[in-house]
Amino acid sequence: MKIAVIGGVAAGMSAASGARRHGKSAEITVLERGSAVSYGACGLPYYAEGRIADWRSLIVHTPETFQRERGVEVRTNAEVVELEHARRRLRLRDGGTASYDKLILCTGAALHPPPPEGVHTLHNPAGAAKLRQRLDDAAPGRAAIVGGGYIGIEAAEVLRARAWRVVIFEQRGDLLGREDSELTRRIGSHLTRCHVDVRLGQAAKSFEADRVNGEPFELVLLAGGLRPNTELAQQAGIALGRTGAIAVSDHMETSTGGIYAAGDCAETTDLVSGAPVWIPLGTTANKMGRVAGACAAGARERFPGVVGTTIARACGLGVAVTGLSPAQAKAHHFRPATVWIKAKDRASYFQGHPTEVQLTADKGTGRLLGASVMGYYGVEGRINTVAAALQARMSLEDFAQLDLAYAPPFSPVWDPLLVAAHQLRKLLH
Amino acid sequence: MKIAVIGGVAAGMSAASGARRHGKSAEITVLERGSAVSYGACGLPYYAEGRIADWRSLIVHTPETFQRERGVEVRTNAEVVELEHARRRLRLRDGGTASYDKLILCTGAALHPPPPEGVHTLHNPAGAAKLRQRLDDAAPGRAAIVGGGYIGIEAAEVLRARAWRVVIFEQRGDLLGREDSELTRRIGSHLTRCHVDVRLGQAAKSFEADRVNGEPFELVLLAGGLRPNTELAQQAGIALGRTGAIAVSDHMETSTGGIYAAGDCAETTDLVSGAPVWIPLGTTANKMGRVAGACAAGARERFPGVVGTTIARACGLGVAVTGLSPAQAKAHHFRPATVWIKAKDRASYFQGHPTEVQLTADKGTGRLLGASVMGYYGVEGRINTVAAALQARMSLEDFAQLDLAYAPPFSPVWDPLLVAAHQLRKLLH
């Protein structure tokens, strides 16, 4: 049995590993159009910053180690340009072909339209290297970031760390794309304190290497406009979902039997709303890839979906969200009640600092719907606790009784999550 | 309506607050035999260490602020010596009486038998103050700690921080009381590296101020032997549970209608095994108290139980457990499979360090049963994520798909929890 994987970053390599785990004798090939595989793309902003000396330290496997340790053939600079499923054959840019019995599409996402010449991105190692070079060579000046999603926010931290003045242009009225004005206000005021100028509702109608909407900048970075790469899939008649990404089953199979899709090119299910979502993230890509690979090799694994957990560091401040924002909850016909609380993240005599927690639940059913956490300590742990509760469809009532770890070096006796839960209960009764 | 609360530390003060919230016009009285109320007892080790200048900074409410802000009468140095439920009357040590319609017992726990003269404890402010004085006055020498539970482990950190050499005597073969030899070995080897001599299976058959089993020490600290204070309850014919603590319903009501119990004197339910447990902890005491107070005031709140989450810092290392250990799982007729894994807690370029995770699940049902986490970062967050999953009776299969937060400053792309889950899945299939 031959399994071919198109794309060799997060989803692709996890797919090949998953396939190998369940298909001991399968012939597995990864076709990657770039020159490197298996790198941690989420580390690229920190490479650009200079925190990592060489971006190649983000590489988890080289084609050689992957071949040796997992028995998977990895071909780089191998761009698939045509998918002839009737013949189970792939045509490559260099004129070669590859055949398969099962195919896994891990074609990722790209900036659509591609940025104008000279505009920086953090989308791939080459882009990050260019930005790094620029930060190393030029004196700090004024930079514009186009996009206020989590990549824009991380990019702002990187540029501030290198002493650039920063303006973020976000065409929507909100940051992080959650239609959450209160979250936006809180992140925005932190960014402002860190001398990042956040311009909401301001689309970058025209931008080039040194100019946004006519305003001059020394550096322009595009941190938005990511779209799933679905050309090959569409060409082969594979159905896209409502989000514009490739539609897949729980087993990561596309509308065409025998062809799977995983990672940034595929959509998944939001476990809170039940609706399809497209949230391109490395961690989800890895999970999807693993399941796609296993299923392509004949196992019956499932990827149920996500609850939309995201975290980013905004000029030192941890900002994390999971589940639905109040506006998103309303759009999905819930009746959300929400609270924001501020509480110490641990005892004062253990460097305790205020942390902010937003918790949202449905008035109709009492079900927990989502959360945001902002702070300097324990942010990821608190959002993960909510993520587990969301995945379990927990009620606010049960959540308020969680048996969370307590000792002064780690947390206050009433964890901020429980403080928020008790506040929110009052709005539900 | 008169509500009396016996005991004014964690459970008692939460009970009074809970009663006030639901009984706006109730006459609420807290009777505390000591001279202070509402202090964070879990901070006492750190006061003894010198990290907190004055133990009174651990006080959350004084009787006066509590009276003023919540309209609750708080009487200190008011020891109840007799409970005459037929007359709804309490007799105090000073000859006075107090009457009630509803009564909440928050009598706590104490060292039984009380320690010999000169032996230190961390059980109350007076004990912690004596230890602090001793550490301030004496040159560091050799100290013996009797008990290898979490208080013994915290005490060892405190004494090492003050440059004492430390020996822990633990009569059982294991630390933290979980019958977990592997967890014990790992904590033990860390303590050994920190120059703490751990003597397992060695009961302190005889100990006094300067001697344990005949061996001389400059300081002896008792960190075990805590028993629930149930004298008043027993005198009034209230049933104790299997654990020796006061048996209560989900509404915290005892076997005698109208009398509630909460905190360290009461038992609760282990939500994983379904069995009664007695785990005296400040955080649980607060939750129980809140529900007891609400129910005494006529509300119908519920405290479902705990999953046994505990955390302690052992010479800088965070050690946390939740749910059942493999041995405990066996004792409750599960068929546990368990793994220990070691993985980075976040990206290397963000001070990532190894963290160790143990995960246990039931071979029969696939249900997640318990976990341990040891490390220097994110320990409380990871154990809390498992605690939420346990409370939701999550399967290992679902747990392995959790949508956990990922960004290099906060975690690796495969969170150590997910690495452990994927390892453990292999043992279940």
Side-chain angles (χ1 to χ4, degrees):
Chain A
M1 155 128 105
K2 282 184 176 177
I3 299 174
V5 180
I6 304 180
V9 190
M13 297 308 261
S14 289
S17 295
R20 173 55 73 226
R21 201 169 297 119
H22 295 274
K24 299 293 178 207
S25 62
E27 201 176 295
I28 305 168
T29 308
V30 173
L31 302 159
E32 164 58 39
R33 68 176 172 184
S35 58
V37 293
S38 190
Y39 57 88
C42 306
L44 292 175
Y46 307 104
Y47 160 65
E49 180 184 328
R51 189 180 279 274
I52 310 163
D54 188 334
W55 77 267
R56 281 168 294 195
S57 64
L58 297 174
I59 293 176
V60 185
H61 293 285
T62 63
E64 296 71 34
T65 60
F66 210 69
Q67 168 86 54
R68 197 167 57 237
E69 291 166 17
R70 317 231 163 154
V72 169
E73 188 191 359
V74 179
R75 296 167 60 183
T76 51
N77 303 306
E79 184 178 357
V80 176
V81 291
E82 208 186 333
L83 196 175
E84 297 179 278
H85 187 57
R87 303 170 133 196
R88 304 289 190 273
R89 193 166 68 173
L90 305 171
R91 293 199 166 277
L92 307 187
R93 163 98 41 217
D94 65 9
T97 59
S99 64
Y100 63 85
D101 298 306
K102 299 288 174 81
L103 177 67
I104 308 173
L105 301 172
C106 303
T107 47
L111 302 166
H112 287 292
E117 183 65 26
V119 167
H120 288 275
T121 76
L122 286 164
H123 185 60
N124 52 32
K130 250 186 228 160
L131 178 59
R132 164 73 167 268
Q133 194 66 53
R134 181 68 184 284
L135 297 180
D136 285 349
D137 291 349
R142 270 179 89 239
I145 295 172
V146 177
Y150 74 92
I151 297 172
I153 282 173
E154 287 178 346
E157 173 170 307
V158 163
L159 290 168
R160 287 295 302 134
R162 299 292 299 255
W164 285 67
R165 277 165 296 148
V166 176
V167 178
I168 294 179
F169 288 86
E170 171 52 56
Q171 61 176 340
R172 304 167 53 128
D174 62 308
L175 295 168
L176 289 183
R178 287 175 67 81
E179 301 157 66
D180 190 327
S181 57
E182 187 53 30
L183 176 68
T184 299
R185 192 187 65 71
R186 286 165 195 251
I187 301 172
S189 71
H190 173 74
L191 289 174
T192 303
R193 276 195 298 277
C194 298
H195 306 289
V196 174
D197 179 6
V198 181
R199 304 201 191 154
L200 296 173
Q202 293 201 17
K205 287 194 190 90
S206 75
F207 63 96
E208 48 194 302
D210 60 356
R211 205 161 293 272
V212 176
N213 297 344
E215 187 178 341
F217 287 94
E218 272 90 46
L219 189 158
V220 175
L221 189 149
L222 176 60
L226 211 58
R227 300 279 175 272
N229 289 329
T230 56
E231 296 76 6
L232 278 179
Q234 286 179 277
Q235 193 198 92
I238 292 170
L240 303 187
R242 263 201 265 162
T243 66
I246 302 171
V248 288
S249 70
D250 275 13
H251 305 291
M252 309 311 296
E253 201 161 12
T254 67
S255 60
T256 299
I259 302 186
Y260 300 78
D264 292 359
C265 65
E267 71 177 23
T268 185
T269 302
D270 179 323
L271 294 172
V272 181
S273 70
V277 282
W278 181 65
I279 307 177
L281 279 177
T283 181
T284 307
N286 275 301
K287 288 196 203 95
M288 287 174 141
R290 197 162 189 153
V291 169
C295 293
R300 286 296 280 176
E301 301 222 342
R302 262 184 85 237
F303 179 71
V306 298
V307 293
T309 312
T310 312
I311 192 166
R313 215 170 62 167
C315 296
L317 181 74
V319 176
V321 298
T322 191
L324 305 178
S325 70
Q328 291 171 330
K330 247 179 231 154
H332 287 289
H333 311 293
F334 290 105
R335 289 197 296 127
T338 198
V339 290
W340 274 95
I341 65 102
K342 193 178 216 175
K344 281 273 172 69
D345 54 20
R346 39 191 174 159
S348 324
Y349 49 97
F350 278 102
Q351 294 90 48
H353 283 293
T355 193
E356 293 175 272
V357 174
Q358 175 193 39
L359 213 55
T360 303
D362 180 40
K363 281 184 200 162
T365 59
R367 184 176 161 200
L368 192 67
L369 295 178
S372 310
V373 180
M374 300 175 60
Y376 293 94
Y377 178 86
V379 173
E380 75 290 348
R382 293 198 167 98
I383 212 71
N384 285 343
T385 303
V386 181
L390 290 176
Q391 196 132 345
R393 305 176 78 90
M394 199 177 271
S395 68
L396 175 67
E397 207 56 30
D398 286 345
F399 185 82
Q401 301 290 10
L402 282 185
D403 186 13
L404 303 182
Y406 164 55
F410 304 102
S411 73
V413 63
W414 287 107
D415 191 276
L417 289 179
L418 301 183
V419 173
H422 283 286
Q423 286 293 327
L424 184 51
R425 284 179 75 205
K426 293 180 195 165
L427 302 186
L428 255 59
H429 291 302
Chain B
M1 157 125 107
K2 283 185 177 178
I3 299 174
V5 181
I6 304 180
V9 189
M13 297 308 262
S14 289
S17 296
R20 173 56 71 227
R21 201 169 297 119
H22 296 275
K24 298 294 179 206
S25 62
E27 200 177 295
I28 306 169
T29 308
V30 174
L31 301 158
E32 164 58 39
R33 68 177 172 183
S35 57
V37 293
S38 188
Y39 57 88
C42 307
L44 292 175
Y46 308 104
Y47 160 65
E49 179 184 330
R51 188 181 280 273
I52 310 164
D54 187 333
W55 76 268
R56 280 168 294 194
S57 63
L58 297 174
I59 294 176
V60 185
H61 292 287
T62 63
E64 295 71 33
T65 59
F66 210 68
Q67 168 85 55
R68 196 169 56 239
E69 290 166 18
R70 316 232 165 155
V72 169
E73 188 191 359
V74 180
R75 296 167 60 183
T76 52
N77 303 305
E79 184 178 356
V80 176
V81 291
E82 208 186 330
L83 195 177
E84 295 178 279
H85 187 55
R87 301 171 134 194
R88 305 291 191 271
R89 192 165 71 174
L90 304 170
R91 292 198 166 278
L92 307 187
R93 163 96 45 217
D94 65 8
T97 59
S99 63
Y100 64 85
D101 298 306
K102 298 289 174 80
L103 177 67
I104 308 173
L105 300 172
C106 303
T107 48
L111 303 165
H112 287 293
E117 183 65 27
V119 167
H120 288 276
T121 76
L122 285 164
H123 185 59
N124 52 34
K130 252 185 224 161
L131 177 60
R132 163 74 168 269
Q133 194 65 53
R134 181 67 183 284
L135 298 180
D136 285 349
D137 291 350
R142 272 178 87 239
I145 295 172
V146 177
Y150 74 92
I151 297 172
I153 281 172
E154 287 178 346
E157 173 170 307
V158 163
L159 291 168
R160 287 295 303 134
R162 299 294 298 253
W164 286 67
R165 279 165 294 148
V166 175
V167 179
I168 294 179
F169 289 86
E170 171 51 59
Q171 60 176 341
R172 306 166 52 129
D174 63 307
L175 295 167
L176 289 184
R178 287 174 65 84
E179 302 157 65
D180 190 326
S181 56
E182 188 54 29
L183 177 68
T184 299
R185 190 186 68 68
R186 286 166 195 249
I187 302 173
S189 71
H190 173 74
L191 289 174
T192 304
R193 276 194 298 277
C194 299
H195 306 291
V196 174
D197 179 6
V198 180
R199 302 200 191 155
L200 296 173
Q202 292 200 18
K205 286 192 190 91
S206 75
F207 63 96
E208 49 194 302
D210 61 356
R211 203 160 293 275
V212 175
N213 297 344
E215 188 178 341
F217 288 93
E218 273 90 45
L219 187 159
V220 175
L221 188 150
L222 176 60
L226 211 58
R227 300 278 174 276
N229 288 330
T230 56
E231 296 76 6
L232 277 180
Q234 285 180 277
Q235 196 198 90
I238 292 169
L240 303 188
R242 266 202 262 161
T243 66
I246 302 170
V248 287
S249 70
D250 274 14
H251 304 292
M252 308 311 295
E253 200 162 14
T254 67
S255 60
T256 299
I259 301 186
Y260 300 78
D264 292 0
C265 66
E267 72 178 24
T268 186
T269 302
D270 179 323
L271 294 172
V272 181
S273 69
V277 281
W278 181 64
I279 306 176
L281 279 178
T283 180
T284 308
N286 275 302
K287 287 196 203 94
M288 288 174 141
R290 197 161 188 153
V291 170
C295 292
R300 288 295 281 176
E301 302 222 341
R302 262 183 86 236
F303 179 70
V306 297
V307 293
T309 313
T310 312
I311 192 166
R313 214 171 63 168
C315 296
L317 181 75
V319 177
V321 299
T322 191
L324 305 177
S325 68
Q328 291 171 329
K330 250 180 227 154
H332 286 289
H333 311 293
F334 290 105
R335 290 197 295 126
T338 199
V339 289
W340 274 96
I341 65 101
K342 195 179 212 172
K344 281 273 173 68
D345 52 22
R346 38 190 175 160
S348 324
Y349 49 98
F350 279 102
Q351 296 89 48
H353 283 293
T355 192
E356 295 176 90
V357 174
Q358 176 194 38
L359 214 55
T360 304
D362 181 39
K363 282 183 200 162
T365 59
R367 184 177 161 199
L368 191 68
L369 295 177
S372 310
V373 180
M374 298 173 63
Y376 293 94
Y377 178 86
V379 173
E380 75 291 347
R382 294 198 166 97
I383 212 74
N384 285 344
T385 304
V386 180
L390 289 175
Q391 196 132 344
R393 305 176 77 90
M394 199 177 271
S395 69
L396 175 66
E397 207 55 33
D398 286 344
F399 185 82
Q401 302 289 11
L402 283 185
D403 186 14
L404 303 182
Y406 164 56
F410 304 102
S411 73
V413 63
W414 286 108
D415 191 277
L417 289 179
L418 301 183
V419 174
H422 283 287
Q423 286 294 327
L424 184 52
R425 285 180 75 206
K426 295 180 193 165
L427 303 185
L428 253 59
H429 289 302

